[in-house]
Amino acid sequence: MDAKTALLTLDGTTFELPVVMGAEGEKAIDISSLRQKTGYITLDPGYANTGSCQSAITFVDGEKGILRYRGYPIEELAEQSSFIETAMLLIFGELPTQAERAVFRDMLSAQELLHEDLLHHFEGFPPYGQPMSILSAVINSFASYHPDLLDIQTDEEFRLAVAKIISKVRTIAAFSYRKSVGRPFMYPDPNRSYCSNFLHMMFSVPYKEFEPTRAQIKALSLFLVMHADHEQNCSCSTVRMVGSSQANLFASVAAGICALWGRLHGGANAAVIEMLENINAGRMTVKDYIEKVKRREMRLMGFGHRIYKSFDPRAKILKKAAHKLLHDQDMTGDPLIEIAQELEAAAMSDDFFVERRLYPNVDFYSGIILRTLGIPVSMFPVMFAIGRMPGWIAHWYEESKNNSKIHRPRQIYTGPAPRRYVSIEDR
Ligand code: CMC
């Protein structure tokens, strides 16, 4: 038997299926001809065993707790890279040279303002409108403001679209927050770095500029680097699926924002803080919470992962960073971090979590960092979306470059057998 072939016996006939090997030794059986050859499809609800594409962007080994962007370990990027450099790595494939970085920085500065007409969109949302709905709607509206970038053909067009999204997403995010608290919009300041500029648009007031500390800027940049990509998760797969119909980049990443919104995905960071605040307010003890989780009345938010089964390297990095930021901000007595650690310790010594291999994920400590930066909980998923934007763009581009087929899964039908239409009087 060819080592690169899998044999499948169905109804007494044996079929050969090619085996595909990844760069890190991952193994897949190529079933793309299965239905044509056998009449069978595969059934995999939740796609836990389905590879939807071959991708050169991010590698995750969930058993060993490994995460690499374009081959670079997340630990090294956390230590040495910035968000924009990491974004360039993910999107364009290589770490930029100083000159490339400078050109891209200028492009981001040139794109940081929003079209003034676009500002009226913010007025159309009710006060306290959900920042995620505002973000997805405004990013989707880019298709109307930049019709020349709907059918990207050249590298220049792609770079321009990338700069528009990466730069403007933080302006929109900050403006949606300002709108929700009834404060005037603060325009971006081209002399600031990406993260400093975002914090300025969030927290400056017309009579007083907000000057973030180095520690705050570093913590925000690290948060964004940690979220920049995570291969074929729910929102990334959504972006690739929408992109596979040849929908434009703006529509595709807007769809990614919507997919990220849920509590099991990008909404988990806010749910973690709600959980910790409930415990802190005395509505529940750590022990009560753990017992409720074990009775399946609720989930331990920020715990568990479809892929990571020993630890999530991002959680390790963010836990350390949360401690450092609290120390730098002189906030070491924050009760939420103590409760988080108590919960983690309780879960890690409980068979329910150990047997199911549930560990803290990226969202468990990230909310503490955001909260320490003064970001309100309603904005937490938006922060995740800003961070994940480079990953979504990189995957959309890869999908379009690979000339992939439109994504169109099949199903096993379980509905009624054929029946005749009954007119309404006879029903
Ligand atoms: N709390 C309690 N039990 C859990 C949890 C949790 N957080 N996560 C999984 N389980 C249990 C689950 O009840 C099931 O037990 P059993 O086999 O006895 O029925 C078992 O573990 C497997 O769970 P699953 O739901 O089949 O696992 P999944 O791979 O489909 O779900 C997950 C992954 C991340 C959705 C899930 O772990 C979860 O709901 N976690 C809490 C929400 C969260 O923190 N989400 C952020 C994920 S990381 C960032 C991101 O991707 O957005």
Side-chain angles (χ1 to χ4, degrees):
M1 182 186 125
D2 184 344
K4 298 270 187 294
T5 304
L7 298 182
L8 174 71
T9 303
L10 285 168
D11 306 327
T13 309
T14 298
F15 301 91
E16 276 190 22
L17 295 166
V19 165
V20 179
M21 299 293 290
E24 294 286 341
E26 322 93 276
K27 303 183 271 278
I29 300 168
D30 179 349
I31 54 127
S32 50
S33 63
L34 183 67
R35 186 170 177 279
Q36 190 201 351
K37 282 183 179 163
T38 68
Y40 284 76
I41 62 166
T42 54
L43 185 62
D44 183 20
Y47 309 131
N49 278 294
T50 296
S52 61
C53 61
Q54 298 193 42
S55 176
I57 301 169
T58 288
F59 174 70
V60 180
D61 182 330
E63 296 299 325
K64 297 191 184 132
I66 292 172
L67 169 59
R68 294 186 208 123
Y69 298 160
R70 301 274 187 196
Y72 294 100
I74 193 69
E75 292 79 6
E76 287 185 23
L77 294 170
E79 199 65 45
Q80 298 178 55
S81 189
S82 69
F83 175 57
I84 291 305
E85 192 185 65
T86 299
M88 293 182 75
L89 169 70
L90 284 165
I91 297 170
F92 305 123
E94 292 295 341
L95 287 169
T97 61
Q98 283 192 17
E100 287 163 345
R101 173 74 187 80
V103 169
F104 194 62
R105 175 190 283 276
D106 288 347
M107 288 181 81
L108 293 178
S109 298
Q111 295 300 335
E112 62 194 6
L113 279 169
L114 300 182
H115 192 295
E116 285 290 312
D117 288 350
L118 200 55
L119 296 186
H120 300 308
H121 287 260
F122 290 87
E123 300 314 315
F125 287 97
Y128 312 111
Q130 283 288 323
M132 280 296 261
S133 75
I134 300 176
L135 187 70
S136 58
V138 177
I139 294 271
N140 203 12
S141 77
F142 279 12
S144 300
Y145 288 90
H146 309 294
D148 47 323
L149 294 175
L150 296 190
D151 182 19
I152 293 172
Q153 294 291 341
T154 64
D155 286 353
E156 286 69 35
E157 286 170 343
F158 178 59
R159 291 180 92 81
L160 182 59
V162 170
K164 280 187 192 297
I165 297 173
I166 297 284
S167 188
K168 291 181 199 298
V169 66
R170 83 199 136 148
T171 312
I172 300 163
F175 281 20
S176 67
Y177 166 67
R178 305 291 291 210
K179 158 83 182 155
S180 74
V181 288
R183 294 214 187 114
F185 298 143
M186 290 305 302
Y187 280 74
D189 173 354
N191 299 314
R192 291 173 183 256
S193 70
Y194 189 87
C195 291
S196 169
N197 211 349
F198 173 71
L199 293 169
H200 152 69
M201 287 189 276
M202 286 286 287
F203 301 124
S204 286
V205 281
Y207 50 87
K208 195 164 190 286
E209 292 262 307
F210 177 76
E211 281 304 336
T213 61
R214 275 176 66 86
Q216 288 171 321
I217 293 170
K218 209 162 179 285
L220 178 57
S221 177
L222 177 73
F223 169 92
L224 297 174
V225 168
M226 287 302 106
H227 287 79
D229 192 38
H230 211 244
E231 49 114 310
Q232 311 308 321
N233 55 81
C234 177
S235 55
C236 170
S237 301
T238 301
V239 170
R240 288 189 84 122
M241 179 170 265
V242 174
S244 79
S245 77
Q246 297 183 359
N248 65 77
L249 175 58
F250 306 124
S252 303
V253 297
I257 296 169
C258 295
L260 185 72
W261 199 341
R263 284 167 70 87
L264 297 187
H265 194 9
N269 51 15
V272 169
I273 293 294
E274 280 162 24
M275 173 180 81
L276 299 178
E277 279 175 344
N278 271 334
I279 296 173
N280 189 38
R283 288 189 275 274
M284 239 185 281
T285 63
V286 164
K287 194 162 176 283
D288 292 339
Y289 202 96
I290 294 284
E291 289 310 315
K292 268 179 180 285
V293 170
K294 287 163 68 176
R295 289 199 301 272
R296 296 168 193 280
E297 289 169 28
M298 46 182 45
R299 286 203 161 197
L300 182 52
M301 301 312 289
F303 252 71
H305 199 276
R306 174 63 63 79
I307 307 287
Y308 291 121
K309 297 298 170 197
S310 58
F311 69 94
D312 178 339
R314 303 166 301 173
K316 271 195 175 179
I317 293 167
L318 288 177
K319 180 178 180 181
K320 204 166 140 208
H323 276 289
K324 182 161 178 356
L325 183 64
L326 286 166
H327 181 266
D328 289 341
Q329 301 281 106
D330 224 2
M331 290 168 65
T332 40
D334 184 349
L336 293 207
I337 188 123
E338 279 162 30
I339 295 169
Q341 291 186 121
E342 233 184 286
L343 261 176
E344 183 184 347
M348 300 317 303
S349 57
D350 190 305
D351 285 349
F352 179 93
F353 298 91
V354 175
E355 279 163 12
R356 289 171 180 76
R357 304 175 76 189
L358 303 173
Y359 297 85
N361 60 46
V362 68
D363 291 313
F364 198 65
Y365 286 101
S366 67
I368 305 238
I369 293 183
L370 294 179
R371 192 169 155 276
T372 310
L373 292 173
I375 311 280
V377 173
S378 62
M379 286 286 290
F380 283 14
V382 167
M383 301 305 296
F384 194 148
I386 299 174
R388 186 54 57 88
M389 203 51 87
W392 290 335
I393 294 171
H395 283 275
W396 179 90
Y397 190 64
E398 188 177 68
E399 188 72 34
S400 68
K401 281 282 154 197
N402 286 354
N403 286 324
S404 312
K405 285 183 166 195
I406 189 167
H407 290 205
R408 205 309 186 179
R410 286 186 176 264
Q411 63 165 13
I412 296 296
Y413 175 70
T414 59
R419 45 187 174 163
R420 304 309 300 251
Y421 181 81
V422 181
S423 65
I424 195 158
E425 312 82 63
D426 298 332
R427 279 176 223 156

